[in-house]
Amino acid sequence: HSTRRALSALQGRWCDEQDPTVTYVVTGLSCVRTMTKNKVTVRQYEFEVDEESQVIPRGDKSAVELRVHNPACCTPTRVIWRCNRDEQAMDGKKRRSTFVWIRPRDW
């Protein structure tokens, strides 16, 4: 049940390590991403939990997932999301290979 433990650790507020104007708030299986760089953009998505493969995809159409079988990918202060290479190759788009969330300093 490491996916459930990882989901529990994801609860609360996060920001993108490379761009702190992007924040995430996780409540249960729901995540709200807010981007405030040029204009405010809000997107909500639901996490999927795949106990068998030990991953948590970031939304149903996302190529990004948390691989919970690696404990270093999800700590209380840092989460590393990885791009699913198969899906990245399918649509031909160039994406970052990892997305790192960190807890904001005021958390």
Side-chain angles (χ1 to χ4, degrees):
H1 298 277
S2 56
T3 51
R4 295 289 170 192
R5 280 194 302 275
L7 187 60
S8 178
L10 285 174
Q11 302 303 300
R13 201 166 130 226
W14 299 88
C15 64
D16 188 291
E17 186 176 56
Q18 288 186 358
D19 184 357
T21 67
V22 180
T23 60
Y24 303 87
V25 176
V26 178
T27 307
L29 289 172
S30 180
C31 180
V32 176
R33 178 186 69 192
T34 305
M35 301 170 71
T36 58
K37 196 172 216 169
N38 298 320
K39 64 177 184 171
V40 175
T41 306
V42 177
R43 178 171 180 242
Q44 181 170 346
Y45 48 87
E46 299 294 315
F47 292 126
E48 304 286 326
V49 177
D50 187 339
E51 292 282 353
E52 187 175 325
S53 61
Q54 301 244 318
V55 297
I56 300 175
R58 203 172 74 181
D60 63 342
K61 295 181 182 175
S62 180
V64 179
E65 62 192 19
L66 176 61
R67 299 174 188 166
V68 299
H69 58 276
N70 180 352
C73 286
C74 188
T75 71
T77 58
R78 194 167 193 255
V79 177
I80 302 170
W81 297 89
R82 300 205 182 274
C83 187
N84 178 324
R85 297 286 180 199
D86 296 338
E87 191 164 332
Q88 182 180 16
M90 279 178 25
D91 68 12
K93 293 180 183 175
K94 183 170 175 71
R95 291 189 173 94
R96 285 167 42 190
S97 60
T98 60
F99 298 83
V100 179
W101 293 4
I102 57 173
R103 291 284 186 193
R105 288 194 174 114
D106 61 353
W107 176 250

